[in-house]
Amino acid sequence: MSGPDRDADASVDATCDLCGRTIPSSGVEDGERTFCSTGCLDVATTLGAPATTGEPNTDDSGDPDGDEGTREDLARTFLRIDGMHSATCEAFLESVAEGCEGVVDAEASYVTETMRVTHDPDRVSDAELRDAASTLGYTAYLRSEATEEGESAGATRRSREMTGMRKRRDDRLLELRYAAGLLFGAFLLLPYVAVLYPVHLASVTELALLSGFERSFRLNGAGGLMFLRLSLVLAGIVLLFTGLPVLRGAYVGLRMRRPNTDLLVATTVTAAFVYSTAAALLGRTDVFYDLAVVVAAAVTAATFYESSVKQRALEELTDLTVSQVEAARLYEPDGTTAEIPVEELEAGDRVLVRAGERVPVDGVVESECTVDEAIVTGESLPVGKEEGDDAVGGSVVTDGAAVVRAGPEATSSIDRITTALWSLQSGNHGVQRRADRLAARAVAVVASAAVLAGLVAAARGSGATNAALRSLTVLLVGSPWLIGFATPLSVATGIEEALRRGIVVFDETVLERLRGVDTVVFDKTGTLTTGEMEVVEADAPPGLLDAAAALEARASHPAAAAIVAAFGRDSDRTDGGVGDERGDDPTDRVSEFATHATGVEGVVDGTPVLVGDLDLFADRGWAIEEGIESRVAEARGFGRLPVVVGRDGAAEGLVVVGDEPREGWAGTIAGLGERGIEVVVLTGDDEAATEFFARHEDVAHVFAGVPPEGKTATVERLAGRVAMVGDGTNDAPALAAADLGLSLGGGTDLAADAADVAIADDDIGSVEMAFDLASAARRRVRQNNRLALGYNAIAIPAAVAGVFNPLTAMFAAVVGGALVGANCLRDLADE
């Protein structure tokens, strides 16, 4: 086994016509189509699924969409790339990867900062692909090697990737660029304020003091020349060091023929620098080095602020449950065990998994136990396993110890889910930002005007030098560079505003894209419900409930924990209690104990006690009181778990345990409905567990019994823009496949990695709040783009009036930047 990049087993005879999953013996048919579950059949019937699988082929052997995907000699490498921030970056990095020998296909996504490369491993290695993608300021990492020396292996994969050593070096370099811009910019601006600005102010006023400045500067030719030389050096340092990321973005935009906001900024700073150098050589004082420095430093500062806010967003999340298993306990024929890395397991190896531990690989159970498969299947109720039953890698053994024989591929379902997640993420292309679309139009207009102005000046006999300066002046005046400043500043303040409300946003386009959502899909278990078992009803003698709690204190079943929490004495609990008033010890009360796949039995205070389902009571030959069977059936009808309790050979009562709906779920769904958003509920549980939600008037569809692969297929078949809300590992591919993924704070690491938005405080009401913030944030972005044109609104009239100089240019820049900054400081709630 080699982790999530290992090839999946594709040699199956029959697969589900919706999700591509292997058809079990209990598969269902609908005419010529066959499905793995009634849930997939329901989805296909309702949404009109095609006759072939909707999930992309996640086999690492090649391209999922073409014939190359069947070639066994091809491999698939997944990279995370730092520095991507637009659709232009996607296209550029794809072209870089496809230019490598042996690469068949490459797909990049700036939304998830990932790239998938299908290649011949004999002609180009993973390391070579990583190095090739680390170009022009982009930094690539192999996703399979997320953990670096000194990094926590217990953190989420996203946090390990985003806080690794190389990433920290990139962040420090950006901070250094920002500091250099401030330092050298200050050195340059001080003489401008002290000397050059008064000179230009003197040209439009008659103050004697200012005229003295002008005479002094013009008469002292050597001093003026030294000033201009110093300005040239300082401006060059700032432009080539501080402004390098902007210049890189502009170059990429030009190379890919996709003008972006970086090109707007680069147009201004480059035109200012070239014009100033030419003017200085001609002995003129209208040099705009100050504008080049301020623009480069301001945009870099906004980018640095955006980066720091995103880093704080990552730090807001606690380390979530790690789903993947790194070590396995090999069970030798003589009964001894040896711990080995999971990747060293081979088909047929036997693994011992104790209560509370995760099953490392898919396989077959060789002993009775109870497992919680919710993290993989989404089903909230634990499942009893007997010898010969399938074991799902990533599931948790909750009761008893399991001996699992590794399957043919010695892989885990978690690995395949991870591979599917990475494949979907890298194919999740971003949309070109509104600001970039505006930049594309602005660049064309400004460039055309500059060329026209130069031609007109040349036609009037101004000479080549003056004609060139006239064209540069138009670029200085006409390019709306403040849009490149407003964009990262708007992003940063929007993310920060969301953070204050417990909503962690990883992708700067989320708040914009969220506003266009047509359908929201909710996973049921752990999302619409609490994901935790609790007693919702009990009908049994108090003494029997007390004895049942003492017995269940020895079990690790989720239902057992709920019973102990509800009826146990302090001494029975595992939450740090110090004993009840009698000082009883649970080990004294329980003299005998035995666990079964469907319950437990023992002797409590000298009395035989049995706790479990009806089949266990029948197997043990215990009598069942009249009416208990009907009450059990009724409880199951609401998707709850009925637990029968009895003593002295007879069942005497019932405890109903369930995963209850979250507080505020109905209001959240109603709020989405008021926005015209359609709500769909998905779950791996049976239909009875979803009946409660189906009755809500704003729930359009409820699909029950849907496996993880089916959830992804469902999301892909829903019309319009789809957002998915989930919390578990089994939700990760669906979260990635959706246009927007939202994970709740109690979710697993894979869910957090797949999502665009994480609800840090685990409050379902924050889903509705995210939509409110999205609407307000988009209005702010549009306002900022309009305010960004404030520079041009001042500079263009000044140029027409013949008073455009470094002083008026800086005044326009300061006013425009102040307007944008002030608007960003306003609370989004006021929008």
Side-chain angles (χ1 to χ4, degrees):
M1 175 183 169
S2 60
D5 291 330
R6 181 164 183 159
D7 292 351
D9 181 11
S11 57
V12 293
D13 295 328
T15 56
C16 177
D17 281 325
L18 180 88
C19 70
R21 197 181 187 207
T22 303
I23 300 291
S25 58
S26 58
V28 294
E29 295 184 0
D30 176 28
E32 297 181 355
R33 298 182 298 177
T34 306
F35 301 94
C36 65
S37 64
T38 56
C40 284
L41 170 61
D42 188 18
V43 171
T45 303
T46 304
L47 302 181
T52 57
T53 175
E55 182 181 351
N57 174 17
T58 57
D59 182 9
D60 294 348
S61 60
D63 182 9
D65 300 319
D67 295 337
E68 296 286 358
T70 62
R71 288 177 50 185
E72 296 182 357
D73 57 337
L74 294 182
R76 179 171 293 168
T77 295
F78 296 93
L79 301 172
R80 180 177 288 280
I81 302 180
D82 176 46
M84 284 201 290
H85 62 273
S86 68
T88 305
C89 298
E90 291 176 350
F92 174 71
L93 288 166
E94 287 172 354
S95 69
V96 168
E98 290 170 353
C100 296
E101 182 181 3
V103 172
V104 173
D105 179 61
E107 280 195 279
S109 169
Y110 84 84
V111 174
T112 57
E113 296 181 312
T114 59
M115 182 163 68
R116 181 187 67 205
V117 184
T118 304
H119 63 103
D120 183 345
D122 294 330
R123 298 170 66 189
V124 59
S125 67
D126 292 354
E128 289 172 329
L129 290 172
R130 178 198 62 204
D131 294 341
S134 298
T135 181
L136 283 179
Y138 298 106
T139 305
Y141 314 83
L142 291 173
R143 299 202 72 180
S144 58
E145 299 177 359
T147 305
E148 300 187 47
E149 184 179 355
E151 301 303 320
S152 170
T156 67
R157 182 177 293 274
R158 183 195 293 270
S159 65
R160 296 202 300 268
E161 291 172 347
M162 299 302 288
T163 59
M165 292 180 181
R166 296 178 67 183
K167 170 65 177 176
R168 288 201 301 269
R169 285 199 296 269
D170 291 339
D171 290 340
R172 284 197 293 268
L173 181 58
L174 181 59
E175 185 176 1
L176 183 60
R177 294 184 192 279
Y178 170 55
L182 290 180
L183 178 63
F184 290 106
F187 275 125
L188 178 66
L189 290 178
L190 284 176
Y192 258 82
V193 173
V195 179
L196 198 56
Y197 288 162
V199 170
H200 289 292
L201 188 58
S203 65
V204 293
T205 64
E206 297 181 356
L207 292 176
L209 177 63
L210 295 178
S211 62
F213 267 96
E214 184 178 18
R215 287 194 303 271
S216 174
F217 188 83
R218 291 186 183 279
L219 290 175
N220 188 1
L225 185 58
M226 179 61 68
F227 170 76
L228 295 177
R229 286 176 177 174
L230 179 62
S231 298
L232 171 64
V233 172
L234 292 176
I237 292 173
V238 174
L239 185 62
L240 296 178
F241 183 69
T242 301
L244 188 59
V246 173
L247 297 178
R248 180 204 71 179
Y251 167 76
V252 171
L254 286 173
R255 177 170 170 175
M256 303 310 298
R257 299 180 180 178
R258 293 184 179 183
N260 52 26
T261 55
D262 286 336
L263 186 56
L264 290 179
V265 178
T267 298
T268 298
V269 297
T270 303
F273 187 83
V274 173
Y275 182 99
S276 301
T277 302
L281 293 175
L282 294 172
R284 299 170 55 166
T285 59
D286 54 337
V287 286
F288 295 91
Y289 290 127
D290 58 336
L291 182 65
V293 167
V294 168
V295 170
V299 174
T300 301
T303 304
F304 174 68
Y305 174 45
E306 178 190 7
S307 176
S308 64
V309 169
K310 287 182 177 181
Q311 188 61 39
R312 287 208 305 275
L314 285 169
E315 293 171 356
E316 283 288 321
L317 287 182
T318 57
D319 292 344
L320 304 175
T321 304
V322 176
S323 313
Q324 290 170 296
V325 182
E326 297 181 354
R329 193 177 290 104
L330 189 64
Y331 191 62
E332 304 290 359
D334 61 1
T336 61
T337 61
E339 192 168 288
I340 64 171
V342 171
E343 57 266 22
E344 294 183 9
L345 283 177
E346 298 179 355
D349 283 346
R350 300 171 75 216
V351 179
L352 177 65
V353 187
R354 295 169 180 165
E357 296 178 345
R358 294 192 182 278
V359 178
V361 294
D362 293 345
V364 178
V365 175
E366 295 188 348
S367 61
E368 285 192 3
C369 61
T370 304
V371 299
D372 180 359
E373 298 179 341
I375 195 168
V376 178
T377 66
E379 297 180 4
S380 58
L381 300 181
V383 180
K385 297 288 186 179
E386 297 180 352
E387 184 175 355
D389 288 346
D390 291 335
V392 179
S395 59
V396 180
V397 176
T398 60
D399 197 15
V403 176
V404 177
R405 184 178 297 278
E409 293 296 322
T411 59
S412 167
S413 293
I414 296 294
D415 293 329
R416 286 191 289 277
I417 288 175
T418 302
T419 302
L421 164 63
W422 290 357
S423 182
L424 288 164
Q425 283 182 333
S426 56
N428 185 11
H429 290 290
V431 295
Q432 192 173 26
R433 291 183 301 190
R434 178 182 177 86
D436 287 336
R437 295 194 297 270
L438 179 60
R441 294 192 293 268
V443 165
V445 172
V446 172
S448 299
V451 172
L452 181 61
L455 292 175
V456 170
R460 291 180 175 178
S462 298
T465 300
N466 288 331
L469 290 177
R470 181 64 61 86
S471 294
L472 290 171
T473 302
V474 172
L475 293 178
L476 275 173
V477 173
S479 179
W481 65 268
L482 262 171
I483 292 177
F485 171 76
T487 299
L489 196 60
S490 300
V491 168
T493 53
I495 292 176
E496 198 164 36
E497 187 82 13
L499 276 175
R500 287 200 293 269
R501 288 166 168 76
I503 301 171
V504 182
V505 179
F506 297 110
D507 166 33
E508 62 266 26
T509 65
V510 166
L511 295 178
E512 181 177 349
R513 292 184 293 136
L514 193 60
R515 188 169 179 265
V517 166
D518 302 299
T519 303
V520 174
V521 180
F522 284 94
D523 172 65
K524 183 189 78 70
T525 304
T527 305
L528 288 177
T529 65
T530 62
E532 298 179 357
M533 289 289 185
E534 60 182 68
V535 174
V536 296
E537 181 184 345
D539 184 10
L544 178 55
L545 293 175
D546 172 73
L551 196 62
E552 292 282 27
R554 289 197 173 193
S556 55
H557 193 291
I563 292 173
V564 172
F567 308 114
R569 305 177 185 180
D570 288 342
S571 59
D572 295 336
R573 302 176 191 271
T574 58
D575 57 3
V578 294
D580 66 0
E581 68 280 1
R582 291 166 46 190
D584 289 337
D585 187 324
T587 58
D588 294 336
R589 300 185 64 199
V590 181
S591 57
E592 297 180 20
F593 179 80
T595 181
H596 306 281
T598 57
V600 293
E601 70 174 319
V603 177
V604 182
D605 297 331
T607 302
V609 176
L610 185 62
V611 182
D613 66 6
L614 286 174
D615 291 338
L616 178 61
F617 275 77
D619 291 341
R620 308 304 291 172
W622 285 43
I624 301 174
E625 286 188 3
E626 185 178 353
I628 288 183
E629 291 186 0
S630 61
R631 286 154 57 197
V632 166
E634 182 180 355
R636 284 177 176 163
F638 285 94
R640 294 169 174 169
L641 177 65
V643 179
V644 182
V645 293
R647 57 188 169 186
D648 285 333
E652 297 182 23
L654 186 69
V655 177
V656 179
V657 179
D659 178 15
E660 291 300 284
R662 285 180 181 270
E663 182 179 354
W665 74 272
T668 296
I669 290 179
L672 294 176
E674 291 174 359
R675 290 174 171 81
I677 297 174
E678 189 173 88
V679 175
V680 174
V681 177
L682 281 177
T683 181
D685 287 339
D686 59 27
E687 189 173 349
T690 64
E691 188 176 327
F692 185 74
F693 300 101
R695 292 197 294 265
H696 195 292
E697 62 180 2
D698 291 305
V699 175
H701 303 289
V702 175
F703 298 113
V706 181
E709 299 90 341
K711 292 180 180 181
T712 305
T714 303
V715 167
E716 291 173 339
R717 282 155 177 74
L718 288 167
R721 181 169 290 180
V722 180
M724 170 79 183
V725 186
D727 78 314
T729 294
N730 72 91
D731 303 324
L735 287 167
D739 295 290
L740 267 299
L742 298 89
S743 72
L744 293 186
T748 65
D749 61 335
L750 277 181
D753 287 343
D756 300 292
V757 181
I759 310 299
D761 57 5
D762 210 17
D763 180 10
I764 195 172
S766 294
V767 173
E768 186 179 2
M769 184 183 296
F771 280 88
D772 291 335
L773 288 175
S775 298
R778 188 165 187 179
R779 287 194 296 271
R780 174 185 284 178
V781 168
R782 288 176 171 175
Q783 291 166 358
N784 282 344
N785 286 342
R786 289 193 292 268
L787 290 173
L789 299 176
Y791 166 79
N792 308 91
I794 298 174
I796 291 174
V800 171
V803 294
F804 186 75
N805 56 46
L807 180 61
T808 54
M810 187 55 60
F811 175 76
V814 170
V815 170
L819 290 173
V820 171
N823 192 53
C824 285
L825 289 176
R826 293 193 303 119
D827 196 313
L828 278 177
D830 298 332
E831 293 288 334

